[in-house]
C-alpha cells in the first residue's frame, strides 16, 4: 500500500504495526480504540506467524505483552484510559525489566469511567510514569492519521533501540476519524537480541526480572536505567514549529488540539497578532530546551490542551519564570472550537 | 472564489446511509488532492436512531475534524434539520430531504435547497439510494467537485459484493444533481 487510502486512525495503527513487523498483539476491547484490535484480528489471524489474543482482562493482556517482549518479538497492546490504568502495574514491570513494546492509549474523557469522547487528560499518567517506581516511557503524540501510522513504526524502532516501552498517545478523535494516509513498509534494523529468553539452547541462561531485594543493588540498577533515559532525552526529543520565527506569543499544544490551535493561529495572524505554535511530538522526552530558548524571545507562552492543566506544568518548568505562562484547556471529552482558542490568544495581547 | 473550506454535517436516521454519504465525499476529496477528514458521531448522540458524520474538505490542512460551526448541512430527517440548523453559519448551504421532512427550515440565512431525495430514490426502486441522491445534489449545488469526480469515487466506498449496484448509484447521483437548478 503505497498509495493514499482513507483509513481510521485506529486501523492505521494496526496496519503500521504489521508493516513494522509486529505480528503479536494482546488486548482487551474498549471504546474508542476497538477498531484497532478488530483490524488486527482480521489481519493477524490470517497470517502464518500472526498471534492475536483477546485476553480475559487488561491485566492479563499486559502481562502477556511482558512475556512476549521477553522473547525479543515485536509486540503491541492497546487500550483507552481506564484500561491503561489497569495495565500500569504491568507497564512498570516491563519498564523495569527494560523490554521493548508498543502500548497505544486512545485517550477518552475522564476521570473514572468517564466517557468515550476525545481527551488528553492522561498526560501525567503517560509522561510521569503512571505505574509505581522510577521509570519513563517514551511517549509519542500523533496529530493526524498519517502520524498515527508513522509514529507506530517509529515507536517499534525506538522501543528496540533503547529496550524501553513506547506509548502512542492518541485520543478518541484521532482513533475514530478517517484521513488520507500513505503506508510504506519501513526498513527494519537488526537489533542486538543477546538478552532474550527464548530457550537457552546452545547458550548460557538469560534472566529477565524486576525484583532486586538488595536496595543497594536496586539503586545501582535504577541508575543504569536513568543513564539510558538521559541518552533518550539528548537524542530523541521531537517537535514541530509553526510560525515561531517572529512570534511575540508562543502556544504549546500537542496532538489533536494542536490542529485546532493551528487554525486559530492563522485567524490571529490575519488580525495582526504574531503568534506561533510549538507542537511537542515526543511528550516524553519533552522539548524543554527549545521552549526555554523561545522564552527568551517571546512576551508570553500559553499551553492549550484537553485537560485541566497537565502539560502546562512541563511548559512552566521549561519557561522557568522568564515570561508569564497562561493556560487554556477543555476537558472531560470536550474539544474547543478554533474561535474559542482565538479568543484566548486575543487575551494574551 | 475564496479558499475552499467546507465544514459539512451529514445527518439522518440510522440506515439512511449518512456515514457512507460522508465517506463518498471524503474519497472524492482525497482523489481530488484536497485535504479532508471524516469522523462519525460515536458518542451518546448516536443512541436514539439518529446518525451523523462530520466531513471537512479544505485547501488548508484540516484543523479540527469535529465540526462545531458547519457551513454545509445535509439533513435527511426532521430531527437532524431541527438540531443542526441552529448552528449553521451565515451564508451556508442547507440541503434537506423534503420527502419526509414536512416542515420548512427555520434557518434562512444562505442557500436552502428542498430536495425530494427519498421520492427520487423510491422512483429508482430503492429507498437506500437517498444518500446518493443527496450527494449528487450537494456536489451540484456547491461546485466543490464535478459530478464525474463524485461518480469516479463510488466504487471505492461500495463494498465489492454490491458492485452490481454501481450503475444504479450513479443514476441516483445524476438524478440528485439534476434536481438542483
Amino acid at each position: 500500500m503505497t498509495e493514499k487510502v482513507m483509513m481510521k486512525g485506529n486501523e492505521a495503527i494496526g496496519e503500521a504495526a504489521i508493516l513494522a513487523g509486529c505480528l503479536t498483539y494482546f488486548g482487551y476491547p474498549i471504546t474508542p480504540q476497538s477498531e484497532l484490535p478488530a483490524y488486527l484480528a482480521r489481519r493477524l489471524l490470517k497470517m502464518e506467524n500472526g498471534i492475536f489474543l483477546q485476553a480475559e482482562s487488561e491485566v492479563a493482556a499486559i502481562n502477556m505483552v511482558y512475556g512476549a517482549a521477553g522473547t525479543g518479538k515485536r509486540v503491541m497492546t492497546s487500550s483507552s484510559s481506564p484500561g491503561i490504568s489497569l495495565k500500569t502495574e504491568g507497564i512498570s514491570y516491563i519498564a523495569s525489566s527494560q523490554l521493548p513494546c508498543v502500548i497505544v492509549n486512545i485517550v477518552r474523557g475522564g476521570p473514572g469511567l468517564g466517557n468515550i469522547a476525545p481527551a488528553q487528560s492522561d498526560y501525567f499518567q503517560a509522561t510521569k510514569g503512571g505505574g509505581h517506581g522510577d521509570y519513563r516511557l517514551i511517549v509519542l503524540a500523533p496529530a493526524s492519521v498519517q502520524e498515527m501510522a508513522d509514529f507506530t513504526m517509529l515507536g517499534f524502532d525506538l522501543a528496540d533501540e533503547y529496550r524501553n516501552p513506547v506509548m502512542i498517545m492518541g485520543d478518541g478523535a484521532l482513533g475514530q476519524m478517517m484521513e488520507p494516509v500513505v503506508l510504506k513498509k519501513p526498513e527494519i534494523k537488526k537489533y542486538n537480541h543477546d538478552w532474550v529468553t527464548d530457550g537457552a539452547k546452545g547458550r548460557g541462561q538469560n534472566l529477565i526480572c524486576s525484583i532486586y531485594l538488595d536496595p543497594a543493588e536496586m539503586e545501582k540498577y535504577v541508575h543504569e536505567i536513568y543513564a539510558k533515559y538521559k541518552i533518550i532525552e539528548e537524542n530523541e526529543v521531537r517537535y514541530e514549529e509553526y510560525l515561531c520565527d517572529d512570534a511575540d506569543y508562543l502556544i504549546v499544544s500537542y496532538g489533536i488540539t494542536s490542529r485546532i490551535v493551528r487554525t486559530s493561529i492563522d485567524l490571529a495572524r490575519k488580525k495582526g497578532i504574531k503568534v506561533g505554535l510549538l507542537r511537542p511530538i515526543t511528550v516524553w522526552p519533552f522539548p524543554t530546551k527549545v521552549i526555554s530558548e523561545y522564552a527568551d524571545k517571546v512576551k508570553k507562552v500559553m499551553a492549550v490542551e484537553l485537560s485541566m492543566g497537565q502539560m502546562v506544568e512541563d511548559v512552566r518548568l521549561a519557561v522557568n519564570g522568564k515570561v508569564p505562562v497562561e493556560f487554556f484547556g477543555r476537558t472531560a471529552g470536550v474539544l474547543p472550537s478554533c474561535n474559542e482558542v482565538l479568543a484566548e490568544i486575543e487575551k494574551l495581547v | 472564489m475564496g479558499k475552499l473550506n467546507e465544514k459539512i454535517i451529514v445527518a439522518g436516521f440510522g440506515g439512511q446511509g449518512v456515514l457512507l454519504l460522508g465517506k463518498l465525499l471524503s474519497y472524492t476529496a482525497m482523489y481530488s488532492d484536497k485535504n479532508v477528514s471524516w469522523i462519525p458521531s460515536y458518542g451518546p448522540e448516536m443512541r436514539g436512531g439518529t446518525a451523523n458524520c462530520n466531513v471537512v474538505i479544505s485547501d488548508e490542512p484540516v484543523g479540527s475534524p469535529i465540526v462545531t460551526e458547519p457551513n454545509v448541512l445535509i439533513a435527511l430527517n426532521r430531527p437532524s434539520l431541527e438540531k443542526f440548523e441552529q448552528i449553521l453559519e451565515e451564508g451556508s448551504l442547507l440541503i434537506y430531504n423534503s420527502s419526509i421532512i414536512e416542515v420548512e427550515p427555520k434557518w434562512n440565512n444562505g442557500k436552502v435547497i428542498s430536495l425530494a431525495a427519498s421520492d427520487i430514490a423510491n422512483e429508482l426502486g430503492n429507498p437506500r439510494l437517498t444518500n446518493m441522491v443527496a450527494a449528487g445534489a450537494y456536489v451540484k449545488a456547491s461546485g466543490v467537485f464535478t459530478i464525474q469526480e463524485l461518480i469516479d469515487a463510488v466504487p471505492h466506498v461500495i463494498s465489492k459484493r454490491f458492485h452490481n449496484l454501481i450503475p444504479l448509484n450513479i443514476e441516483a447521483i445524476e438524478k440528485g444533481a439534476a434536481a438542483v437548478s
Side-chain angles (χ1 to χ4, degrees):
Chain A
M1 263 194 270
T2 49
E3 57 185 64
K4 263 195 280 184
V5 288
M6 287 292 280
M7 252 183 158
K8 281 193 167 195
N10 285 332
E11 296 170 340
I13 290 175
E15 187 58 35
I18 292 170
L19 288 170
C22 170
L23 304 184
T24 308
Y25 174 92
F26 306 99
Y28 188 82
I30 181 171
T31 308
Q33 63 83 53
S34 292
E35 292 83 2
L36 170 51
Y39 185 88
L40 286 172
R42 282 199 299 276
R43 294 276 280 111
L44 288 176
L45 293 175
K46 284 186 198 138
M47 298 168 85
E48 201 185 333
N49 300 319
I51 295 171
F52 175 91
L53 199 148
Q54 182 178 317
E56 71 270 32
S57 71
E58 286 86 351
V59 175
I62 194 66
N63 283 289
M64 291 171 186
V65 170
Y66 186 15
T71 69
K73 279 195 174 178
R74 287 193 160 181
V75 55
M76 182 163 86
T77 188
S78 64
S79 193
S80 178
S81 309
I84 294 291
S85 295
L86 287 166
K87 284 177 174 161
T88 50
E89 181 203 37
I91 293 171
S92 171
Y93 280 50
I94 293 169
S96 178
S97 302
Q98 299 198 66
L99 293 179
C101 66
V102 170
I103 301 152
V104 178
N105 184 5
I106 302 299
V107 182
R108 59 188 245 178
L113 198 51
N115 58 47
I116 58 176
Q120 295 178 320
S121 42
D122 298 355
Y123 180 91
F124 285 152
Q125 185 194 54
T127 61
K128 311 293 176 193
H132 58 282
D134 285 314
Y135 76 91
R136 292 289 191 183
L137 304 177
I138 298 170
V139 186
L140 299 166
S144 64
V145 173
Q146 183 67 55
E147 287 190 348
M148 293 280 258
D150 293 347
F151 293 179
T152 299
M153 296 183 194
L154 172 64
F156 280 107
D157 288 343
L158 292 173
D160 276 335
E161 185 74 37
Y162 294 101
R163 280 187 60 187
N164 206 73
V166 171
M167 178 170 278
I168 311 293
M169 189 185 174
D171 67 83
L174 284 171
Q176 292 296 321
M177 68 193 278
M178 287 203 301
E179 278 185 320
V181 57
V182 179
L183 290 155
K184 268 193 227 147
K185 192 164 175 57
E187 289 215 14
I188 300 164
K189 247 173 76 177
K190 282 257 177 260
Y191 294 94
N192 173 20
H193 274 171
D194 61 7
W195 50 269
V196 301
T197 49
D198 59 350
K201 206 172 176 184
R203 61 161 170 79
Q205 185 195 48
N206 283 335
L207 177 66
I208 294 170
C209 76
S210 68
I211 185 167
Y212 294 81
L213 286 176
D214 176 0
E217 195 194 345
M218 179 94 210
E219 189 189 40
K220 188 168 163 270
Y221 180 64
V222 173
H223 275 281
E224 276 170 36
I225 300 178
Y226 269 71
K228 175 178 83 176
Y229 294 160
K230 197 157 184 290
I231 295 169
I232 295 171
E233 285 182 291
E234 279 162 16
N235 294 343
E236 304 301 343
V237 171
R238 288 170 169 80
Y239 56 87
E240 184 189 48
E241 293 159 288
Y242 180 63
L243 304 179
C244 288
D245 283 348
D246 65 341
D248 291 329
Y249 307 95
L250 183 73
I251 314 288
V252 183
S253 187
Y254 69 100
I256 191 78
T257 319
S258 67
R259 299 167 59 128
I260 301 168
V261 168
R262 206 180 145 116
T263 307
S264 309
I265 284 175
D266 288 340
L267 296 169
R269 286 263 168 184
K270 278 185 197 142
K271 295 186 167 195
I273 305 170
K274 287 185 180 172
V275 56
L277 168 69
L278 191 131
R279 172 171 78 96
I281 287 171
T282 48
V283 282
W284 196 88
F286 194 71
T288 303
K289 188 162 164 271
V290 65
I291 293 172
S292 170
E293 285 163 8
Y294 275 115
D296 292 326
K297 293 188 245 171
V298 300
K299 293 175 186 160
K300 274 181 194 169
V301 177
M302 179 164 71
V304 181
E305 56 185 313
L306 302 182
S307 77
M308 291 302 285
Q310 300 192 13
M311 179 194 66
V312 65
E313 294 193 2
D314 285 332
V315 175
R316 288 210 174 99
L317 285 171
V319 171
N320 202 15
K322 287 186 220 171
V323 289
V325 175
E326 307 292 343
F327 167 73
F328 177 64
R330 296 298 302 265
T331 196
V334 180
L335 252 71
S337 73
C338 55
N339 285 325
E340 243 179 297
V341 177
L342 174 64
E344 296 299 319
I345 291 172
E346 287 177 309
K347 281 188 209 163
L348 294 174
V349 181
Chain B
M1 193 173 157
K3 278 197 169 166
L4 180 67
N5 187 24
E6 298 281 284
K7 298 174 289 179
I8 308 166
I9 293 182
V10 188
F13 289 126
Q16 281 185 310
V18 299
L19 300 187
L20 188 72
L21 167 43
K23 272 186 197 174
L24 176 61
L25 299 179
S26 306
Y27 275 77
T28 311
M30 178 176 76
Y31 290 119
S32 312
D33 285 323
K34 307 275 195 288
N35 294 299
V36 60
S37 68
W38 172 97
I39 189 165
S41 59
Y42 66 96
E45 71 275 19
M46 66 191 264
R47 314 280 185 263
T50 62
N52 75 74
C53 65
N54 299 171
V55 180
V56 181
I57 303 169
S58 180
D59 287 330
E60 301 289 323
V62 176
S64 180
I66 293 172
V67 175
T68 49
E69 292 145 349
N71 57 20
V72 177
L73 171 60
I74 304 174
L76 297 186
N77 69 356
R78 184 172 168 175
S80 304
L81 172 67
E82 289 174 340
K83 180 175 179 188
F84 293 115
E85 68 178 340
Q86 298 176 27
I87 55 168
L88 269 177
E89 285 182 346
E90 198 183 321
S92 299
L93 169 62
L94 165 61
I95 299 174
Y96 71 103
N97 183 8
S98 57
S99 303
I100 61 165
I101 301 174
E102 64 276 20
V103 295
E104 298 275 313
K106 289 192 191 79
W107 185 86
N108 191 11
N109 220 339
K111 195 168 174 183
V112 179
I113 293 174
S114 159
L115 179 74
S118 297
D119 292 335
I120 295 170
N122 287 333
E123 280 161 26
L124 289 168
N126 191 340
R128 290 170 69 188
L129 293 166
T130 305
N131 55 353
M132 293 292 151
V133 175
Y138 162 69
V139 169
K140 176 77 185 298
S142 68
V144 169
F145 317 114
T146 65
I147 296 295
Q148 191 57 47
E149 284 174 313
L150 183 69
I151 287 171
D152 289 345
V154 170
H156 298 283
V157 298
I158 294 182
S159 68
K160 287 220 165 64
R161 63 200 166 103
F162 293 125
H163 270 197
N164 58 323
L165 295 175
I166 287 173
L168 197 56
N169 279 275
I170 291 172
E171 205 184 335
I173 286 171
E174 285 168 341
K175 285 257 160 76
V180 176
S181 48

